[in-house]
Amino acid sequence: MASLWSNLRFRGLLYQVLVVGAVVALGGWLVHNTLVNLAARGIATGLGFLGREAGFDISESVIAFSPSDTYARALLVGLLNTLVVSGLGIVSATVLGTLIGVARLSGNWLVGRLSTVYIESIRNVPLLLQLFVWYGVVTSLPVARLALHPLPGVFLSNRGLVIPGLDWSQGWLPILDIPHLAGFNFVGGLTLSPEFAALLAGLTVYTAAFIAEIVRAGILAVPKGQTEAALSLGLSRGQILRLVILPQALRVIVPPLTSQYLNIAKNSPLAIAIGYPDLVAVSNTAINQTGQAVEGVALVMVVFLGISLALSALMNWYNKRVALVTR
Amino acid sequence: MIMQDPPIVELNGVNKWYGDFHVLKDIGLEVARGEKVVVCGPSGSGKSTMIRCINRLEEHQSGCIVVDGVELGDDLKAIEAIRRRVGMVFQSFNLFPHLTVLENLTLAPIRVAGMTPAEAADTAMALLERVRIPDQAAKYPGQLSGGQQQRVAIARALCLKPKVMLFDEPTSALDPEMVGEVLDVMTALASEGMTMICVTHEMAFARAVADTMVFMDEGRVVEVAKPALFFDHPANERTRRFLGKIIGH
Amino acid sequence: MSRPLSWAKANLFGSPASSLLTVLTLALLWQVVPPLVDWALIGASWGAGDPERCRAAGGACWTLLTERHRLMLFGVYPYDQHWRPALAVALFIALLAISANRRCWKPWLGGAWALAVMIFAALMWGGVLGLAPVETSQWGGLPLTLVIAVLAIAVAFPFSILLALGRRSGLPAIRAVSVGYIELVRGVPLVSVLFMASVMFPLFLPEGMTIDKVLRALVGMTLFTAAYLAEAVRGGLQAIPRGQFEAADALGLGYWRSMRLIILPQALRLVIPPIVNQFITCFKDTSLVTIVGLYDLLAASKAALNDPAWRPYFVEGYLAAALVYFCFCFFMSRYSQWLERDLRQGNR
């Protein structure tokens, strides 16, 4: 026994068996307790509930939904809402963050200072608090009749943000659909609900502060000699940025940028605090109605893991391409 | 030479692969107690890998390695026993930067050999005297020159009173003006009767100190000879070419 | 040309584009700053009073803070006992300040923190030394935020070291378990983890066993933080040259001793700045316990604005809460940056 214990391979095997055994035992114990508890409370298990009628309405949806649809469709609506807000958030945060990051590096003292103030004050305050403020601001806007009208066709009111949209229903050429006030509400155009607008604003503004720092660090990582070499070739400032600095900076920028994109997706469930029906919010309603917390939470986790894996796979592919091109 | 004692280090038919790459091919080597062996060969010939197998920093896949009567295998007790009897000096010193010189030296005696701190400190100071830097005991490795660091590393390896010392290119990472001080310490050590296996390109040192020269190429031991014979009348063509290159400049 | 003028020429009007940018920014500031000053200072309502007073003043309603700051800072903790959470918070802040000093990085600091947590618990819970007992359901505000953030990091830390070592282990099953845990947790939103903690933990436990709501949130935060900390620690482990592992092996130290004596002391030194950053994140993330119904600083601030008469002044309320978060996070992030430079320079 003693010599077996001192055998390298045996000991390695033993450690592994012990750890895996402990994990399996813990998992089994939790599953057992859960099953007992669920049985005691008369809660069903399994994914059968997905096929049943949801019975609740969802305030906004990109696909048709009514309370008589199934839980599965309700969750799909939630997922699509999550994807929409994350996708738009990624685009707008990248644009805003890049602008601020470049502004911070600009030779202009005033602009640089303002960018620093922005970054420091946004980064150091919890996103959820910022969301509450955004939601408060959006909902305390004037009623539709007295809506703010900053640009032609754009209305800001406590009903949300209304912007011109494209109408494809009149044949193959889209018609610009400019919203106008009719009675107490707007007709035509695209309406972003207050919840959606607040969430998008919050995610954009918050993440942009982090992206700005990433962009700045990426640009600073390009050696100064590169700019000097490009200047000596007679390239203009704009050309240098576009042709010399950015392609090199991107290699440094892309990996941390990926994790910021993931953060947008993972922060989007904060929607629940302001009532935007994203995946987590919908699944919580489902959990409250059916009691099937395990399945609901597990589904959400699986979906987010899927999003994470997909995004990092995409970024890895991009990263590889960038690395090859510049080497 | 007539050997009454069994060899202290014995490698027999040792093979090692990194994936598909066959690094060590059928290595056989015997080192007698007190013998000084210098291993040389072109880079990538497997000489570092070979001596790193002797204290199991690398695992060999077949063949047998016996150190001081203990066979090296999967048995942890055997590995521990061998590591206590075998001291090692690395190319890049590998001193522990967060510990003082003295702490570097007393760590293993206290933790592995179970000495009291006072005893360990006495041994350590004696060793620092031997490598001629007793006044640096309280400093951190980063505050020393490369040559001093390597001498500390030699002292550290001697702390467990090893029966065999392995040197893995101990002077390759040093500035040229510091090579001498390290070789002096090694020569002194050799004259005290320590069994030594050195991988090095310092041919003058080899000629002066070695009892046996080993030439390796492409994972094989190509030639084993006395230094006089080895340097003046190398038997193998590859040895001749290698020596021509290395002594030529 | 005088110094300020030449400075302005270089830094504000360096090129036509820069000049344009300066002019546009100044115009924007001119639009924004005077009304802001008017709102925040000139037209603001100061001192005690009721919402009516704010409406009359027309500007910022700092009266809200005078009236409601205790609710915001301490939540629904019994009003006449507020000195206890105040003292508990002061204790934590003092200890944070002491911990920032590198000369205090001695073993006794760990003991001091353990003691501080015990004093904190005694103060908040009561039931000892003649203090009236207070249920955790009545805890709230800044002390709750602080204790969750501090304990989550403290408990997650040893766990994260094991995870990081596991991820770098040569044993495939142990590596798989560590990687699985780390990647699973990092792929999932904190909100989900907190929901799991609050909804599912009661199901996980044997029948009849209940688990305190604050403890549930704390366990959720800890499990979540551990995965991120483990990645920070792994970064430190990867930065240690292979030669250190080999030298330790050659001395016959064995795995655990070489980790404890050689590798971790060096690796953990490297990861102190990332750990401080993780603490900042954790501190901000603590606000998410609001969603599972705990009254941390954010939720307490929100609750303070629940009164319809005060609700129009939500900006002032949230600004104040934001300022508290900002002070903690800003100083800690500055500290972490300084520390990183200092450790790099002082690296012997």
Side-chain angles (χ1 to χ4, degrees):
Chain A
M1 186 64 212
S3 69
L4 200 57
W5 167 236
S6 76
N7 184 291
L8 200 63
R9 285 174 215 286
F10 176 77
R11 203 187 277 195
L13 200 66
L14 189 70
Y15 278 141
Q16 299 186 64
V17 169
L18 283 180
V19 166
V20 173
V23 170
V24 169
L26 181 70
W29 185 68
L30 295 180
V31 169
H32 171 77
N33 287 338
T34 309
L35 289 178
V36 170
N37 281 316
L38 289 177
R41 293 173 206 191
I43 298 172
T45 52
L47 294 173
F49 76 98
L50 287 176
R52 293 208 304 273
E53 186 177 301
F56 59 88
D57 202 1
I58 297 178
S59 60
E60 54 190 295
S61 165
V62 280
I63 55 174
F65 182 79
S66 75
S68 59
D69 282 323
T70 60
Y71 278 112
R73 192 167 175 89
L75 288 168
L76 178 66
V77 169
L79 172 60
L80 289 175
N81 282 342
T82 295
L83 291 179
V84 166
V85 80
S86 310
L88 284 178
I90 284 174
V91 173
S92 52
T94 307
V95 172
L96 184 61
T98 310
L99 281 179
I100 292 168
V102 172
R104 202 176 167 188
L105 284 176
S106 77
N108 190 307
W109 180 86
L110 192 62
V111 174
R113 270 301 127 125
L114 280 178
S115 314
T116 309
V117 168
Y118 172 91
I119 291 168
E120 289 297 349
S121 49
I122 293 296
R123 269 206 313 188
N124 289 315
V125 172
L127 172 59
L128 188 58
L129 196 159
Q130 298 185 30
L131 281 181
F132 284 157
V133 174
W134 282 110
Y135 189 55
V137 167
V138 174
T139 49
S140 59
L141 285 170
V143 295
R145 209 157 36 81
L146 303 169
L148 302 177
H149 193 194
L151 293 167
V154 177
F155 297 91
L156 259 173
S157 72
N158 63 357
R159 306 258 179 155
L161 177 66
V162 186
I163 53 171
L166 294 177
D167 186 356
W168 294 85
S169 62
Q170 312 292 320
W172 55 274
L173 246 185
I175 299 164
L176 196 61
D177 183 16
I178 294 173
H180 57 93
L181 191 65
F184 291 106
N185 211 343
F186 296 96
V187 177
L190 266 178
T191 305
L192 308 182
S193 71
E195 291 79 15
F196 181 83
L199 183 62
L200 186 59
L203 286 175
T204 302
V205 167
Y206 184 74
T207 315
F210 291 88
I211 292 181
E213 282 295 84
I214 292 170
V215 169
R216 185 178 82 109
I219 293 177
L220 284 180
V222 179
K224 228 180 142 187
Q226 293 288 313
T227 312
E228 288 164 1
L231 275 175
S232 72
L233 287 175
L235 295 178
S236 75
R237 284 269 166 196
Q239 283 174 317
I240 294 173
L241 193 67
R242 201 176 72 245
L243 300 173
V244 179
I245 309 286
L246 273 185
Q248 298 187 56
L250 276 180
R251 273 166 59 192
V252 182
I253 290 173
V254 166
L257 197 60
T258 313
S259 60
Q260 284 309 321
Y261 287 174
L262 282 176
N263 279 349
I264 291 186
K266 286 188 286 180
N267 281 331
S268 68
L270 295 186
I272 198 169
I274 56 172
Y276 176 72
D278 81 319
L279 178 65
V280 174
V282 172
S283 87
N284 267 30
T285 312
I287 288 171
N288 285 339
Q289 290 189 356
T290 61
Q292 292 191 257
V294 180
E295 292 85 346
V297 172
L299 265 176
V300 169
M301 288 192 168
V302 167
V303 167
F304 271 98
L305 275 180
I307 296 177
S308 298
L309 288 180
L311 250 179
S312 38
L314 192 71
M315 278 297 166
N316 279 343
W317 169 79
Y318 176 76
N319 209 5
K320 237 174 234 163
R321 230 191 47 156
V322 169
L324 276 180
V325 167
T326 50
R327 245 172 222 153
Chain B
M1 203 199 308
I2 302 153
M3 280 190 279
Q4 293 138 343
D5 282 349
I8 188 158
V9 176
E10 186 180 359
L11 283 79
N12 214 334
V14 171
N15 280 287
K16 178 172 176 60
W17 288 264
Y18 285 129
D20 284 337
F21 179 53
H22 200 171
V23 231
L24 296 181
K25 298 169 187 160
D26 253 339
I27 300 285
L29 185 70
E30 284 186 6
V31 181
R33 225 169 272 272
E35 190 178 359
K36 285 93 189 134
V37 177
V38 169
V39 185
C40 61
S43 68
S45 58
K47 49 196 193 308
S48 280
T49 310
M50 181 189 74
I51 72 163
R52 287 155 60 88
C53 280
I54 294 173
N55 67 348
R56 188 64 187 228
L57 287 184
E58 308 273 357
E59 200 179 317
H60 60 285
Q61 273 100 32
S62 74
C64 106
I65 300 177
V66 180
V67 180
D68 200 17
V70 182
E71 184 179 348
L72 198 56
D74 287 339
D75 191 73
L76 273 172
K77 288 241 173 67
I79 296 174
E80 270 170 38
I82 287 175
R83 282 180 178 165
R84 267 205 223 184
R85 288 173 222 184
V86 176
M88 183 157 199
V89 177
F90 299 87
Q91 178 178 351
S92 49
F93 330 137
N94 294 344
L95 292 176
F96 305 131
H98 62 302
L99 302 176
T100 62
V101 165
L102 190 66
E103 285 166 341
N104 262 283
L105 266 65
T106 55
L107 183 82
I110 296 173
R111 303 287 178 162
V112 179
M115 277 192 212
T116 65
E119 245 181 295
D122 286 346
T123 321
M125 284 314 293
L127 283 168
L128 286 177
E129 297 274 358
R130 231 164 109 187
V131 299
R132 291 167 229 152
I133 34 174
D135 45 334
Q136 312 284 13
K139 289 198 177 160
Y140 285 91
Q143 295 168 297
L144 305 183
S145 73
Q148 289 173 322
Q149 289 196 43
Q150 193 60 301
R151 284 186 279 152
V152 172
I154 294 174
R156 181 178 69 179
L158 289 169
C159 256
L160 286 174
K161 304 195 170 67
K163 297 183 172 172
V164 181
M165 285 285 283
L166 307 176
F167 292 85
D168 187 2
E169 306 204 23
T171 54
S172 302
L174 293 175
D175 290 336
E177 76 270 19
M178 293 172 182
V179 170
E181 58 189 78
V182 171
L183 290 180
D184 286 349
V185 169
M186 288 169 65
T187 310
L189 196 61
S191 68
E192 286 158 30
M194 173 64 74
T195 312
M196 292 165 62
I197 305 177
C198 309
V199 172
T200 183
H201 296 300
E202 297 294 334
M203 288 304 139
F205 166 81
R207 203 189 264 269
V209 171
D211 298 316
T212 310
M213 291 298 301
V214 173
F215 176 71
M216 284 183 72
D217 194 19
E218 291 176 352
R220 276 181 213 284
V221 173
V222 173
E223 184 162 355
V224 180
K226 298 268 165 220
L229 210 60
F230 181 83
F231 287 110
D232 301 333
H233 308 287
N236 191 292
E237 171 58 31
R238 277 190 281 182
T239 316
R240 220 170 294 144
R241 236 181 298 140
F242 175 74
L243 287 175
K245 268 186 221 155
I246 201 164
I247 300 175
H249 62 251
Chain C
M1 207 156 46
S2 67
R3 285 255 305 278
L5 263 179
S6 61
W7 177 87
K9 190 164 186 329
N11 292 297
L12 296 176
F13 304 100
S15 67
S18 180
S19 306
L20 185 67
L21 213 55
T22 304
V23 170
L24 283 178
T25 313
L26 283 176
L28 186 74
L29 286 178
W30 183 247
Q31 290 285 307
V32 172
V33 174
L36 198 66
V37 171
D38 199 33
W39 174 80
L41 300 171
I42 299 165
S45 121
W46 304 86
D50 53 15
E52 205 48 53
R53 200 185 139 124
C54 289
R55 197 171 314 157
C61 180
W62 305 124
T63 302
L64 169 84
L65 302 182
T66 319
E67 292 290 324
R68 298 245 144 175
H69 70 275
R70 283 175 65 169
L71 185 56
M72 291 170 67
L73 282 177
F74 304 122
V76 289
Y77 204 87
Y79 196 79
D80 54 336
Q81 300 286 322
H82 275 183
W83 63 271
R84 283 159 56 180
L87 198 60
V89 167
L91 180 72
F92 264 25
I93 294 176
L95 210 49
L96 278 176
I98 292 172
S99 308
N101 190 336
R102 275 181 67 188
R103 260 168 302 178
C104 298
W105 292 358
K106 301 272 160 58
W108 60 260
L109 194 61
W113 271 105
L115 189 68
V117 170
M118 275 189 275
I119 296 176
F120 182 95
L123 276 171
M124 293 294 288
W125 249 313
V128 288
L129 302 169
L131 295 172
V134 178
E135 289 290 311
T136 54
S137 58
Q138 287 178 290
W139 293 18
L142 189 55
L144 189 65
T145 294
L146 268 174
V147 80
I148 291 180
V150 167
L151 282 184
I153 284 280
V155 180
F157 184 52
F159 186 33
S160 71
I161 292 179
L162 288 180
L163 281 173
L165 290 178
R167 192 166 188 168
R168 307 233 331 138
S169 161
L171 305 173
I174 289 178
R175 200 167 52 231
V177 169
S178 308
V179 172
Y181 179 85
I182 293 171
E183 293 306 328
L184 182 77
V185 171
R186 281 172 10 116
V188 160
L190 175 57
V191 178
S192 292
V193 176
L194 286 175
F195 270 129
M196 191 188 80
S198 75
V199 181
M200 280 163 68
F201 278 4
L203 293 176
F204 285 163
L205 294 174
E207 260 189 301
M209 215 167 116
T210 54
I211 166 170
D212 183 89
K213 214 167 154 186
V214 173
L215 192 59
R216 274 185 238 166
L218 184 59
V219 172
M221 284 295 290
T222 306
L223 292 178
F224 185 76
T225 305
Y228 286 84
L229 267 186
E231 284 299 273
V233 173
R234 182 169 75 116
L237 287 177
Q238 271 170 342
I240 305 300
R242 231 180 71 154
Q244 293 289 311
F245 293 84
E246 291 178 349
D249 274 351
L251 287 176
L253 282 176
Y255 181 79
W256 290 108
R257 270 190 302 211
S258 70
M259 284 301 153
R260 189 162 54 85
L261 299 169
I262 307 299
I263 306 302
L264 286 176
Q266 297 182 59
L268 294 184
R269 215 174 109 100
L270 291 176
V271 296
I272 292 167
I275 290 175
V276 176
N277 288 339
Q278 193 57 49
F279 182 65
I280 298 171
T281 307
C282 188
F283 187 79
K284 282 192 293 175
D285 280 349
T286 310
S287 61
L288 265 62
V289 300
T290 306
I291 294 177
V292 292
L294 291 184
Y295 278 91
D296 74 315
L297 178 59
L298 179 57
S301 305
K302 195 167 184 261
L305 297 164
N306 261 354
D307 185 341
W310 287 115
R311 199 171 299 156
Y313 308 108
F314 69 94
V315 172
E316 291 87 331
Y318 285 135
L319 263 183
L323 192 66
V324 175
Y325 280 108
F326 179 84
C327 287
F328 275 97
C329 298
F330 182 73
F331 284 117
M332 283 192 287
S333 71
R334 276 296 136 107
Y335 170 70
S336 148
Q337 285 163 14
W338 168 82
L339 191 64
E340 206 175 337
R341 273 197 304 273
D342 196 50
L343 283 177
R344 208 185 301 144
Q345 277 168 4
N347 218 345
R348 290 171 295 227

